[in-house]
Amino acid sequence: MAELRTDRLTLRRWRDSDLEPWAAMNADPEVREHLGDLLTREQSDASVALFQAEFDQRGYGWWAVEVQATREFIGFAGLDQVDDGMPFTGVEIGWRLARSAWGHGYATEAALTVLAHGFDTLELPEILAVTTATNLRSQAVMRRIGMTRDPADDFDDPTEPEGPLRPNVLYRIARSTRI
């Protein structure tokens, strides 16, 4: 598995020491605002096991993200196959950071590195990003990394009940048009 580095961040394989701060993130209502229910410790730990298994199987997935200067775990960033049942297919970029890491440009920095890996190493022709229509912070990151949105691609997430998590937006970037 490739380890990715930016000027300030390391995107790396998950460690046992990441489980506790990851569980704290998944129990934080602000972090989970656009993601749905809070996760129990068991659910959170199981998500990491799944991330590792998928990474081993495909060669890409969700990296743990740490700040190089402090070695502090701050969240994840990476690529994943679009879930079955969505009205589109492809590979999706994503990120999730602890609240203490918000506002430092880390999501944009990690996402640009993940995009470069997806296009240059995996040779993906296109990368997608999805979020709720109300998640303006993530949409701003999507625009900063060069992604664009066609409102005709917006959709209701079929896995969500009626409510604020159902309306979603879809952003795209092609390898040929990246910044």
Side-chain angles (χ1 to χ4, degrees):
M1 176 184 113
E3 181 175 275
L4 306 179
R5 290 183 171 268
T6 71
D7 289 342
R8 302 181 297 163
L9 304 173
T10 301
L11 285 68
R12 56 159 174 79
R13 188 152 187 99
W14 292 77
R15 299 179 186 140
D16 288 344
S17 60
D18 301 329
L19 295 176
E20 186 173 325
W22 175 245
M25 285 177 56
N26 286 312
D28 183 330
E30 286 187 68
V31 171
R32 299 282 311 170
E33 178 182 3
H34 301 284
L35 301 168
D37 294 335
L38 303 180
L39 301 184
T40 65
R41 175 63 190 257
E42 293 75 22
Q43 291 169 318
S44 184
D45 288 356
S47 70
V48 170
L50 180 62
F51 298 160
Q52 292 174 314
E54 289 176 340
F55 215 119
D56 290 342
Q57 179 183 30
R58 293 190 306 240
Y60 66 87
W62 303 118
W63 283 274
V65 177
E66 74 178 24
V67 177
Q68 286 180 19
T70 62
R71 299 190 53 129
E72 175 191 7
F73 169 86
I74 60 168
F76 83 1
L79 299 165
D80 195 17
Q81 289 288 326
V82 169
D83 291 338
D84 292 338
M86 290 295 157
F88 50 87
T89 60
V91 175
E92 174 183 4
I93 190 171
W95 49 85
R96 187 179 319 157
L97 300 180
R99 273 190 293 141
S100 62
W102 294 0
H104 300 281
Y106 293 145
T108 300
E109 189 172 326
L112 284 168
T113 298
V114 169
L115 274 182
H117 181 77
F119 288 139
D120 300 338
T121 303
L122 302 176
E123 298 182 347
L124 298 171
E126 178 182 62
I127 296 175
L128 310 173
V130 174
T131 192
T132 60
T134 57
N135 189 347
L136 302 180
R137 293 173 68 105
S138 279
Q139 290 181 56
V141 172
M142 293 169 192
R143 289 189 301 274
R144 280 194 294 276
I145 65 173
M147 301 186 98
T148 58
R149 173 182 165 220
D150 179 347
D153 290 335
D154 294 352
F155 66 100
D156 285 343
D157 183 338
T159 66
E160 290 293 334
E162 284 300 323
L165 300 182
R166 190 165 174 94
N168 276 242
V169 295
L170 174 65
Y171 280 74
R172 300 174 182 270
I173 187 170
R175 181 172 44 195
S176 61
T177 62
R178 77 183 229 236
I179 54 174

